[in-house]
Amino acid sequence: MARKNLIEISNANEARPDPSVSPARDSRPIAGFIPQTRSAGLVGGITKTLGSITEKVERANDLERQLAEGRTIVEIDTALIDASFVADRLDIDAAELAQLTEQIREHGQQVPILVRPHPQAKGRYQVAFGHRRLAAAKALKIKIKAVVRALTDEQLVVSQGQENNARADLSYIERALFAHRLEEKNFGGAVITAALNIDRAALAKMRAVTRQVPIALITAIGSAPAIGRRRWMEFGEHLEKVDIDALIEMLSADNIGQLSSDDRFQRAFAFATAKQVALKATSAAQIADLPVKFKRTPTTATFVFDNKAAPGFDEFVQERLERLYAQYRQERDAG
């Protein structure tokens, strides 16, 4: 666009000086230059136009500043938003999500989520907090209200954790698992304690739980919101001699998988404690009578022969296994 169109300057009627009139003393030429006479209306128009341009630039800069500071709420297509790079929850309760979706349908989204520009994908965003609201908006196929803020990785996880703490949103095991995942991402203790709003002693106990209870087993149980730290620690203490794969398989069964996560924890706890008690009783009784240690799980059974107490007994049993198995099948089929 030409400059004259931008600021609306026209030279057609520009006033020219009368050569018969001598310039006033205080408007004498400086260094040989003769000043031109300007129209007051023209100068006012230029000033007004320039002021309008400046105001628009300032408004644009102010908007960018507010977005950077997270003070402006914008609407974003949910297809452009990815989850946080550190998961903070095990699952989203279907009933709770349905209730939240209905609330947003009826009353609109009351609280915006927090996102940051995606650090690896231009034009996309990454959630700091508000995953359930995002899921509800996706279900409703609407844009989501969000605050966009430039955040470092540390700032994102601290915001993520502190929002969940403020809303009492995560169960104990989800918070412990969040701490575990942050450590896997090489975040230091200071960032983790700030994100979870805990001290180092509490963090140490969370570490103990995730060391004793395998992550795959935690995932199979779920968030278990009614189960606190002491119960999880007690559960972990009983897992040393439990077949974890068999326990996870049990929890994955259709009749168990449909239970609430709190109920799945109770089933897992009963499995672990009952099997341990049965194992101790069986082993003690058989060791007293036979030179064999016996270990049973829901899917396997193991015999360990004491060759010092009964040399050659293992070979004796091995030679007769085929015959014993044939006898077992005959009796099973007859029964």
Side-chain angles (χ1 to χ4, degrees):
M1 180 170 61
R3 179 178 177 83
K4 66 178 181 179
N5 292 328
L6 174 64
I7 58 177
E8 300 177 356
I9 296 177
S10 174
N11 295 320
N13 298 318
E14 183 176 348
R16 298 182 181 276
D18 187 342
S20 64
V21 179
S22 299
R25 181 178 180 84
D26 57 356
S27 60
R28 289 176 298 175
I30 300 175
F33 290 96
I34 300 175
Q36 294 182 344
T37 303
R38 298 186 179 182
S39 167
L42 179 61
V43 174
I46 296 173
T47 303
K48 184 176 180 180
T49 303
L50 291 175
S52 177
I53 295 172
T54 302
E55 184 181 353
K56 290 179 181 179
V57 171
E58 287 178 350
R59 282 204 304 267
N61 290 338
D62 185 58
L63 177 59
E64 291 181 1
R65 184 167 56 252
Q66 289 185 48
L67 286 172
E69 295 173 357
R71 292 192 284 118
T72 298
I73 298 174
V74 296
E75 290 190 344
I76 304 175
D77 188 337
T78 58
L80 298 176
I81 304 176
D82 299 319
S84 168
F85 69 100
V86 183
D88 58 11
R89 61 179 69 249
L90 284 164
D91 47 44
I92 298 179
D93 184 89
E96 290 183 0
L97 178 59
Q99 183 180 16
L100 176 61
T101 302
E102 192 59 30
Q103 288 175 352
I104 293 177
R105 188 199 310 275
E106 292 182 3
H107 307 291
Q109 181 190 345
Q110 301 300 313
V111 181
I113 68 172
L114 175 63
V115 301
R116 71 170 176 176
H118 200 296
Q120 280 88 41
K122 187 176 181 180
R124 298 190 64 81
Y125 301 89
Q126 200 170 56
V127 177
F129 57 75
H131 289 84
R132 288 189 298 181
R133 278 162 279 170
L134 177 61
K138 286 182 176 179
L140 294 170
K141 297 181 180 180
I142 61 174
K143 291 185 176 182
I144 191 163
K145 295 176 182 177
V147 170
V148 182
R149 184 177 299 166
L151 299 170
T152 64
D153 287 351
E154 289 81 3
Q155 289 171 331
L156 184 142
V157 297
V158 169
S159 297
Q160 183 176 349
Q162 289 184 349
E163 167 70 4
N164 286 324
N165 289 331
R167 296 167 60 87
D169 230 11
L170 300 182
S171 67
Y172 176 81
I173 198 61
E174 284 180 312
R175 297 175 73 227
L177 192 55
F178 185 45
H180 173 78
R181 287 167 174 165
L182 289 176
E183 286 191 322
E184 286 188 324
K185 297 286 186 181
N186 297 318
F187 286 101
V191 172
I192 298 173
T193 53
L196 292 168
N197 194 26
I198 57 175
D199 57 25
R200 290 189 174 273
L203 178 58
K205 291 174 182 177
M206 288 181 173
R207 287 170 174 158
V209 169
T210 52
R211 281 197 302 267
Q212 289 182 315
V213 185
I215 304 303
L217 179 54
I218 293 174
T219 303
I221 292 172
S223 58
I227 309 301
R229 174 183 60 82
R230 290 186 180 180
R231 194 72 166 157
W232 275 103
M233 293 187 75
E234 185 180 359
F235 178 54
E237 291 169 358
H238 286 90
L239 291 177
E240 183 178 353
K241 296 183 179 180
V242 171
D243 187 328
I244 301 299
D245 291 337
L247 179 50
I248 293 175
E249 184 179 352
M250 184 270 290
L251 293 171
S252 302
D254 291 340
N255 61 325
I256 303 298
Q258 299 301 319
L259 298 175
S260 70
S261 58
D262 288 326
D263 287 338
R264 287 198 298 273
F265 175 88
Q266 299 296 353
R267 294 294 184 95
F269 190 90
F271 180 98
T273 54
K275 292 299 177 182
Q276 189 174 42
V277 171
L279 175 62
K280 288 181 178 178
T282 303
S283 299
Q286 294 197 2
I287 290 173
D289 298 331
L290 297 172
V292 179
K293 292 182 179 179
F294 176 66
K295 179 180 179 181
R296 180 189 296 276
T297 73
T299 57
T300 63
T302 305
F303 291 89
V304 179
F305 294 88
D306 186 348
N307 286 332
K308 184 177 180 180
F313 183 52
D314 57 332
E315 296 177 359
F316 178 85
V317 173
Q318 185 178 3
E319 291 170 357
R320 288 160 176 76
L321 279 177
E322 187 175 348
R323 189 172 69 228
L324 287 171
Y325 182 61
Q327 182 181 351
Y328 155 75
R329 293 189 61 181
Q330 183 180 3
E331 293 180 357
R332 184 191 63 181
D333 295 341

